[in-house]
């Protein structure tokens, strides 16, 4: 049976015992009690195996047939589940996962978006709509016009917006798609579709039914499986990570490293991803090493790594000097601190030429 390998960093009084309890408990049942059925040969085929233990680093092989891919939510339930409730597991961090499955391709990917936007020679420019909520039609339309004509390649609604009563998603889609047609803009407009599962699928349909090259923005709180769902609808998807430290912070007793979640996003078929920031106002302690790893993973798999949180033209120039052109400078606050969004967008775009 094919396996996938999960690498954990664990701590506790008995590392081999922890490894055993994760392997058995997260594959077939109670680590220390075997019923007659659990000893049946067909059940034993699904037992995860401890592959290697090096100090606190534990590698476990799980049977991939225990769930049907793609099903990221179920995968997460397996690899970071009941063992977090067991005495003796003081800390557990997932630091890698190796799935014998090819990533789902993006809708356009880095190469596709760059070709569509004639941007092979520069980083992409992403503009973020502010304020986060409360905008009416005229205000949103004015902001988006300034961003389009100011040179933005990517426009993202904030993760707070979603579908709402004051400016419903359907109205936004009709309005923005009309503007895209009139202006001839070929960029990526990411409608915020965050929602519970049934409403999320409905939101995706609202975009897919109208947009020619549809784009959506989904925060991880909607579930990692939301990204596979968006891809299946043919929608270019932006993976937004605000709040992710509740999962990734290494100070948490139980956590998942950010590169693992980046890898799963790539497997799910996202087009763009907020991978973090280099500089800006990210808090002290944020791992630049993990951010650089995430950027490289996106480059290797033809995805767009978006950097934001304190972005401005000068910071963008510095980052470009560090990592080149294969990324997106996403900017929110700086665009909205001047009198003219159009002029600020134009300045930002010129800084990336």
């Amino acid at each position: 049976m094919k396996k996938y390998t999960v690498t954990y960093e664990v701590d506790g009084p008995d590392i081999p015992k922890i490894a055993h309890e994760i392997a058995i408990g997260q594959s077939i049942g109670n680590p220390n009690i075997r019923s007659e059925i659990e000893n049946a040969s067909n059940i034993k085929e699904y037992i995860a195996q401890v592959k290697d233990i090096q100090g606190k680093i534990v590698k476990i092989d799980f049977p991939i047939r225990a769930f049907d891919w793609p099903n990221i939510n179920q995968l997460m339930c397996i690899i970071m589940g009941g063992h977090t409730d067991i005495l003796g597991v003081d800390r557990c961090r997932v630091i890698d996962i190796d799935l014998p499955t090819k990533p789902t391709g993006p809708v356009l990917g880095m190469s596709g978006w760059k070709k569509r936007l004639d941007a092979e020679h520069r980083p992409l420019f992403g503009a973020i709509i502010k304020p986060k909520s409360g905008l009416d039609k005229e205000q949103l339309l004015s902001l988006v016009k300034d961003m389009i004509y100011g040179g933005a390649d990517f426009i993202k609604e904030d993760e707070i917006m979603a579908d709402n009563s004051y400016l419903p998603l359907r109205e936004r889609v009709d309005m923005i798609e009309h503007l895209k047609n009139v202006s001839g803009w070929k960029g990526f407009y990411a409608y915020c579709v965050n929602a519970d599962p049934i409403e999320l699928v409905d939101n995706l349909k609202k975009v897919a039914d109208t947009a020619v090259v549809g784009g959506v923005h989904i925060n991880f709180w909607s579930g990692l499986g939301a990204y596979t769902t968006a891809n299946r609808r043919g929608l270019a998807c932006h993976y937004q990570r605000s709040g992710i430290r509740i999962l990734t912070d290494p100070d948490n007793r139980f956590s998942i490293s950010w590169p693992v979640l980046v890898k799963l996003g790539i497997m799910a078929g996202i087009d763009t991803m907020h991978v973090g920031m280099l500089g800006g106002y990210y808090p002290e302690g944020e791992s630049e090493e993990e951010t650089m790893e995430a950027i490289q993973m996106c480059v290797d798999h033809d995805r767009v790594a978006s950097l934001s949180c304190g972005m401005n033209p000068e910071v963008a120039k510095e980052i470009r000097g560090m990592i080149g052109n294969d990324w997106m400078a996403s900017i929110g606050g700086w665009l909205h601190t001047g009198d003219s969004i159009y002029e600020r967008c134009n300045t930002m775009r010129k800084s990336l030429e």
Side-chain angles (χ1 to χ4, degrees):
M1 185 181 292
K2 283 187 176 181
K3 306 282 186 178
Y4 62 95
T5 304
V6 181
T7 304
Y8 298 90
E9 183 178 13
V10 301
D11 200 3
D14 190 335
I15 302 299
K17 184 174 184 292
I18 291 172
H20 169 78
E21 291 185 342
I22 294 174
I24 304 302
Q26 293 308 114
S27 60
I28 64 165
N30 189 298
N32 303 305
I33 300 173
R34 297 274 65 80
S35 68
E36 182 178 349
I37 291 177
E38 286 175 316
N39 281 312
S41 59
N42 63 306
I43 302 300
K44 287 183 176 180
E45 291 180 8
Y46 288 84
I47 295 176
Q49 304 288 337
V50 178
K51 183 177 183 179
D52 188 43
I53 300 175
Q54 298 289 332
K56 295 181 179 181
I57 305 300
V58 171
K59 293 187 176 184
I60 298 176
D61 284 343
F62 289 88
I64 199 161
R65 278 175 51 195
F67 73 103
D68 292 332
W69 179 265
N71 191 340
I72 291 179
N73 291 344
Q74 182 61 16
L75 173 64
M76 301 304 289
C77 180
I78 293 169
I79 70 174
M80 203 58 167
H83 62 281
T84 62
D85 301 321
I86 296 174
L87 290 174
V89 185
D90 295 337
R91 301 183 69 84
C92 180
R93 181 171 175 82
V94 178
I95 59 175
D96 198 9
I97 183 168
D98 183 17
L99 286 163
T101 305
K102 290 184 178 180
T104 300
V107 172
L108 287 178
M110 172 71 82
S111 59
W113 284 110
K114 284 206 161 194
K115 182 177 181 180
R116 182 178 173 85
L117 294 160
D118 191 25
E120 286 91 344
H121 63 290
R122 61 174 174 82
L124 294 172
F125 163 31
I128 304 170
I129 292 170
K130 304 286 183 181
K132 297 184 175 186
S133 59
L135 290 167
D136 62 26
K137 283 185 178 181
E138 290 72 23
Q139 290 168 330
L140 178 61
L141 189 62
S142 176
L143 287 169
V144 176
K145 282 182 177 178
D146 281 347
M147 291 172 175
I148 286 176
Y149 292 111
D153 302 304
F154 169 93
I155 299 173
K156 177 179 76 70
E157 297 178 347
D158 196 273
E159 69 271 11
I160 305 300
M161 188 172 278
D163 197 9
N164 55 65
S165 58
Y166 62 85
L167 187 51
L169 177 63
R170 172 65 72 188
E171 293 184 18
R172 303 201 309 267
V173 172
D174 290 342
M175 178 177 67
I176 298 301
E177 293 306 311
H178 176 71
L179 175 58
K180 286 166 63 178
N181 290 334
V182 169
S183 65
W185 187 64
K186 295 182 178 181
F188 183 158
Y189 188 94
Y191 299 96
C192 182
V193 295
N194 293 332
D196 292 337
I198 293 175
E199 289 77 15
L200 175 70
V201 171
D202 187 48
N203 288 346
L204 294 173
K205 187 176 186 300
K206 290 174 184 176
V207 178
D209 284 351
T210 304
V212 176
V213 179
V216 293
H217 161 193
I218 303 178
N219 180 270
F220 82 98
W221 279 116
S222 288
L224 299 180
Y227 303 117
T228 60
T229 304
N231 182 276
R232 287 174 170 180
R233 292 290 191 277
L235 294 168
C237 187
H238 176 68
Y239 181 142
Q240 209 271 348
R241 59 168 267 167
S242 291
I244 203 73
R245 284 190 189 83
I246 199 165
L247 300 180
T248 63
D249 194 322
D251 289 336
N252 295 343
R253 287 182 60 207
F254 302 100
S255 61
I256 304 168
S257 75
W258 174 233
V260 169
L261 296 179
V262 173
K263 181 180 288 189
L264 291 174
I266 289 169
M267 295 293 294
I270 54 94
D271 270 55
T272 69
M273 173 181 288
H274 178 205
V275 298
M277 183 59 173
L278 299 173
Y281 60 72
Y282 252 41
E284 187 176 344
E286 175 74 10
S287 171
E288 184 171 301
E289 181 181 349
E290 285 194 343
T291 301
M292 292 295 290
E293 184 178 351
I295 293 169
Q296 190 60 53
M297 289 167 66
C298 287
V299 171
D300 291 344
H301 293 278
D302 193 29
R303 315 304 164 104
V304 180
S306 170
L307 298 176
S308 70
C309 291
M311 185 66 70
N312 62 50
E314 292 305 314
V315 172
K317 288 179 182 178
E318 292 176 8
I319 295 173
R320 188 181 190 183
M322 293 170 59
I323 64 175
N325 291 327
D326 289 339
W327 61 288
M328 179 163 65
S330 293
I331 186 165
W334 183 85
L335 288 181
H336 299 274
T337 54
D339 293 333
S340 171
I341 302 295
Y342 169 82
E343 291 295 341
R344 290 230 157 189
C345 283
N346 194 253
T347 298
M348 183 66 189
R349 171 62 179 268
K350 287 179 179 178
S351 75
L352 296 172
E353 294 289 349

